[in-house]
Amino acid sequence: MKDKKSFGLFIAEKRREQNLTQKELAEKLYVTKTAVSKWERGVTYPDITLISELCAVLKVDEHEMIAESDDGKYRRMRTDAKKYRRISDIYFYGLCAAYALSLVICFICNLAVDKTLSWFFIVLCALITAFTLFPSVSRFLRRYKLLVVVLSFTAALILLLLSCCLTLRGSWFFIAATSVLLGLTCVFLPIFIAVYPVHKKVKRHAPIICIAADFALLLAVLASCLHAQPQTFLRAAAVSFYALAPIVLCAAVVCYTRINAYFKSAVLSAVCGVAVFFADVTINKIFAYDNYEIAINLLDWSNRYINGNIHLIILVCALIAAAVLTALGIKKALSRR
């Protein structure tokens, strides 16, 4: 009869055989490095829901792993794991049956009421979209689950938008599709680069790559909205570029400079303050409102001066923060010497 210690040593040995670090094993299982460390030190057992995935990553069968810890507690965990798999199967196949039944009912109703298939295709695409999340296509995968779920959901959602647009005879498909791609890219592209194995240069330039992808998709959204007004599109693109330029500059400072964190924070603070202060002027120049000027009077907060006053206060606060951070950065640099 073996205890948690021997079980932990078994996991550590198999992990090393696969040339994995604790961090890499944790990333593959979507747990923390601390959790893996506790398993290997014999502090805790893995959760029952992770057993199958852990065996797959370590390339051992469940019987071999169970044999390494056959005490009473782990036997109960093995029983619980079987119950979990049984419940998971019932959930998966039950939902599949419910989807299929609802699809058949909608098919019959659409034919009976309209004598043709019209809105049925919207229902079909909606159910496909739902299936990519619940119960999820990840059931059929062992690796890259998040990536495949997000990609399959995106494809299904775009297909749903297309079916709605064609059924309703709309002209908004490209606006909706590019907006969906922009939103999902903003959220998941940084996660994919951080979680999945990619070239070191990609990881190093990840912030710039993500911003460039977001900007390209933002231009696609603007083009789909303003394709009939090229002059307005160019102005909107210029405004978008102005908005993203400080972000690109800040990302470059963070990624590529070797100054200490205080100096980096000082640059970020100053850049953001200046960008906010000149935002109104720049946008009005882009849209050719030549009569606009920065109106500042801290003794007068009427409509004419309120924007200028607020922007000035933001700029002053940002520059003061930058000065304080610079002083702290100098102090830290001198203390190291």
Side-chain angles (χ1 to χ4, degrees), residues 5-55:
K5 280 278 188 194
S6 60
F7 181 70
L9 292 174
F10 174 77
I11 291 179
E13 178 185 351
K14 293 299 179 182
R15 173 179 59 78
R16 295 189 191 98
E17 288 179 5
Q18 300 302 319
N19 295 318
L20 295 172
T21 63
Q22 288 185 344
K23 182 180 178 181
E24 290 170 339
L25 178 59
E27 288 176 351
K28 288 179 179 294
L29 298 174
Y30 300 101
V31 298
T32 63
K33 180 183 175 182
T34 304
V36 175
S37 175
K38 286 182 178 180
W39 300 344
E40 295 187 356
R41 288 186 286 115
V43 178
T44 61
Y45 282 121
D47 189 85
I48 58 171
T49 61
L50 295 173
I51 298 302
S52 297
E53 187 69 19
L54 179 60
C55 291

Side-chain angles (χ1 to χ4, degrees), residues 8 12 31 42 57 102-103 118 124 130 133 140 164 180 182 184 193 195 203 215 245 265 319:
V31 298
V57 172
S102 61
L103 197 61
S118 54
L124 173 62
L133 297 177
F140 306 107
C164 292
V180 166
L182 173 60
L184 292 174
I193 293 176
V195 170
K203 284 192 179 290
F215 183 61
S265 300
L319 293 178

Side-chain angles (χ1 to χ4, degrees), residues 68-93:
E68 287 302 313
S69 183
D70 201 26
D71 58 11
K73 181 177 179 180
Y74 206 79
R75 282 200 299 272
R76 289 194 299 272
M77 291 182 65
R78 179 173 57 182
T79 302
D80 290 342
K82 289 181 179 179
K83 290 181 179 177
Y84 170 79
R85 285 195 296 272
R86 192 178 303 117
I87 293 171
S88 178
D89 288 342
I90 293 172
Y91 167 78
F92 177 78
Y93 292 112

Side-chain angles (χ1 to χ4, degrees), residues 44-257:
T44 61
Y45 282 121
D47 189 85
I48 58 171
T49 61
L50 295 173
I51 298 302
S52 297
E53 187 69 19
L54 179 60
C55 291
V57 172
L58 299 180
K59 296 184 179 179
V60 298
D61 58 40
E62 292 187 19
H63 176 76
E64 183 180 359
M65 182 169 287
I66 297 297
E68 287 302 313
S69 183
D70 201 26
D71 58 11
K73 181 177 179 180
Y74 206 79
R75 282 200 299 272
R76 289 194 299 272
M77 291 182 65
R78 179 173 57 182
T79 302
D80 290 342
K82 289 181 179 179
K83 290 181 179 177
Y84 170 79
R85 285 195 296 272
R86 192 178 303 117
I87 293 171
S88 178
D89 288 342
I90 293 172
Y91 167 78
F92 177 78
Y93 292 112
L95 273 180
C96 289
Y99 285 150
L101 179 60
S102 61
L103 197 61
V104 171
I105 293 173
C106 290
F107 179 83
I108 295 172
C109 291
N110 195 193
L111 283 179
V113 175
D114 296 338
K115 310 302 180 185
T116 185
L117 293 178
S118 54
W119 49 264
F120 169 76
F121 295 106
I122 296 178
V123 175
L124 173 62
C125 295
L127 289 176
I128 292 173
T129 304
F131 182 82
T132 61
L133 297 177
F134 305 103
S136 176
V137 295
S138 63
R139 179 183 176 86
F140 306 107
L141 305 168
R142 290 194 178 276
R143 302 180 65 191
Y144 305 118
K145 289 187 175 183
L146 178 63
L147 176 64
V148 173
V149 168
V150 172
L151 292 180
S152 61
F153 171 74
T154 303
L157 183 56
I158 290 175
L159 183 62
L160 174 61
L161 293 172
L162 179 60
S163 64
C164 292
C165 190
L166 292 176
T167 301
L168 301 174
R169 301 182 185 277
S171 58
W172 43 263
F173 169 71
F174 290 106
I175 298 175
T178 52
S179 299
V180 166
L181 289 174
L182 173 60
L184 292 174
T185 300
C186 288
V187 174
F188 289 105
L189 183 58
I191 297 175
F192 292 154
I193 293 176
V195 170
Y196 293 119
V198 295
H199 197 278
K200 289 182 179 179
K201 288 185 177 180
V202 175
K203 284 192 179 290
R204 173 171 172 73
H205 304 299
I208 303 298
I209 292 172
C210 292
I211 293 171
D214 295 341
F215 183 61
L217 286 169
L218 178 59
L219 291 181
V221 173
L222 293 174
S224 61
C225 294
L226 303 171
H227 62 278
Q229 306 171 52
Q231 199 70 22
T232 305
F233 165 73
L234 291 176
R235 289 170 175 169
V239 171
S240 301
F241 180 79
Y242 177 83
L244 282 175
I247 301 175
V248 174
L249 180 58
C250 291
V253 170
V254 171
C255 292
Y256 305 128
T257 60

Side-chain angles (χ1 to χ4, degrees), residues 262 265-267 269-270 314-328:
Y262 288 114
S265 300
V267 174
S269 180
I314 292 173
L315 175 62
V316 170
C317 291
L319 293 178
I320 291 173
V324 172
L325 290 167
T326 301
L328 292 173

